[in-house]
Amino acid sequence: MTVRDPVSAPDAAGRPRRTTRRFPLFTRDTARPEGGGRAAGGDAPAPARQWPVLTVVLLVGLGLLLTALDVFRWGTFLVGAALLLGAALRWTVPDVGMLAVRSRFTDIATYGVLGLSIALLALMAQPKPVLEIPFLKDTLHFTVS
């Protein structure tokens, strides 16, 4: 294949053709994120193909149910843990289906930061926090005396 100029690209048959550097008026397709393929083969049923995202969504749903049933601390902790599990799945499993939204790095960073923040805030919730960070007591005073 020979390239005629710096802005030529092959067409469907592999022949180079001239393309423009302008963005198209209408987007015809988008690239699938890295790792966005099926988590199981195409012959498997839909839930088996999307098991990573279903696992995370079911754990988040269980955490929200616990929160609604007045088990606030452990319900919100479960939501954070589910997001951390999503980050771990995105890092270790090559194809995670719909759990892949952006690039692998961005997904891991987003799921990880949000999951860690939610889990730590759940552990620090009043009354009787499980986790106490000493310097926060000096910097943040949200109590009325």
Side-chain angles (χ1 to χ4, degrees):
M1 177 169 64
T2 60
V3 177
R4 291 185 294 204
D5 52 45
V7 291
S8 67
D11 60 6
R15 295 180 306 269
R17 63 178 174 82
R18 172 107 172 118
T19 60
T20 179
R21 293 179 66 113
R22 291 184 183 179
F23 289 106
L25 185 59
F26 299 104
T27 303
R28 305 250 189 272
D29 63 352
T30 57
R32 180 184 298 171
E34 174 191 355
R38 297 177 179 147
D43 55 341
R49 291 192 306 259
Q50 297 298 332
W51 70 266
V53 73
L54 286 176
T55 303
V56 172
V57 167
L58 289 174
L59 284 175
V60 168
L62 180 63
L64 292 175
L65 179 66
L66 287 174
T67 303
L69 295 174
D70 215 19
V71 188
F72 173 78
R73 182 183 323 274
W74 301 113
T76 51
F77 181 77
L78 186 59
V79 170
L83 289 173
L84 288 172
L85 175 67
L89 286 173
R90 188 71 173 100
W91 188 6
T92 57
V93 178
D95 289 323
V96 290
M98 292 188 333
L99 191 62
V101 179
R102 297 157 295 265
S103 70
R104 188 177 304 269
F105 173 79
T106 305
D107 282 342
I108 292 170
T110 303
Y111 294 144
V113 167
L114 288 176
L116 189 64
S117 300
I118 292 171
L120 288 177
L121 287 172
L123 292 176
M124 293 188 303
Q126 296 290 335
K128 299 179 188 170
V130 175
L131 177 66
E132 290 189 30
I133 299 178
F135 69 87
L136 287 180
K137 200 176 280 186
D138 298 331
T139 57
L140 302 173
H141 292 285
F142 290 120
T143 59
V144 178
S145 51

